[in-house]
Amino acid sequence: MTEQRPVKVAIIGAGMSGLCMAIKLQDAGIEFDPALVVQGEFSFDSGMQAARMLLDLEAPPTAIFAANDYMAAGVVRVALERGLSIPAELSVCGFDDIPIAHQIFPALTTVRQPAREMGASAGTQAQAVGNI
C-alpha cells in the first residue's frame, strides 16, 4: 500500500482570480491557508516567481493551482529545476487548456472552459433581455 501525502494547496491568482479560486476550494471542503494565495500577472515569469516564493516556504505546498496555464508552466519549470517530481511530489494545475499545456513535459493538468459555448449563451441571453 502506498502512503498518500497530505494535500496543502497554494493558489497563484491575478487580480480577483486568486480570491475566487480560494472561495471555490473552501466551498468544495478543501482546506487551504490564505497565506498560500499569491498574486501573479498571468505570465510564465510571474508563475516562476510565485513558485519560488511558495516552494521556499518552510512547509511548501503539495499542490499549486494557477489562474492560467502560462503561470502553471512557470511553476512546472521551477519545480523541475529544484528536482521535484510532478505529480509525485508536487501537483500542478492550470486553467484555460491552451497549447502550452500540452507542449511542456510533463503535460499540465488544466481546466478547459467552453468559451465558445459560453459566448453563444451570453449572446442568446443578451438578445432575450433586449426583446423584453
Side-chain angles (χ1 to χ4, degrees):
M1 177 158 64
T2 60
E3 202 173 307
Q4 285 193 326
R5 61 190 158 106
V7 177
K8 185 174 180 182
V9 180
I11 297 170
I12 303 172
M16 293 298 292
S17 66
L19 177 61
C20 292
M21 288 189 286
I23 290 168
K24 293 287 186 185
L25 284 176
Q26 192 172 28
D27 289 348
I30 299 171
E31 291 185 35
F32 74 97
D33 179 351
L36 296 177
V37 178
V38 298
Q39 289 296 306
E41 297 174 358
F42 290 120
S43 69
F44 182 86
D45 289 338
S46 72
M48 289 179 62
Q49 182 180 1
R52 287 185 189 109
M53 190 173 15
L54 290 166
L55 296 174
D56 283 345
L57 294 171
E58 186 175 317
T62 59
I64 299 176
F65 190 91
N68 78 353
D69 288 342
Y70 289 118
M71 291 192 295
V75 171
V76 169
R77 173 141 179 211
V78 170
L80 294 177
E81 286 174 351
R82 292 176 180 220
L84 295 174
S85 175
I86 298 171
E89 295 175 288
L90 179 68
S91 299
V92 180
C93 184
F95 195 85
D96 291 331
D97 195 22
I98 59 175
I100 196 170
H102 310 286
Q103 294 167 341
I104 64 171
F105 183 82
L108 280 177
T109 297
T110 184
V111 177
R112 176 185 294 169
Q113 280 197 108
R116 182 167 285 148
E117 293 83 358
M118 289 168 60
S121 176
T124 300
Q125 290 176 14
Q127 285 178 334
V129 169
N131 291 332
I132 293 178

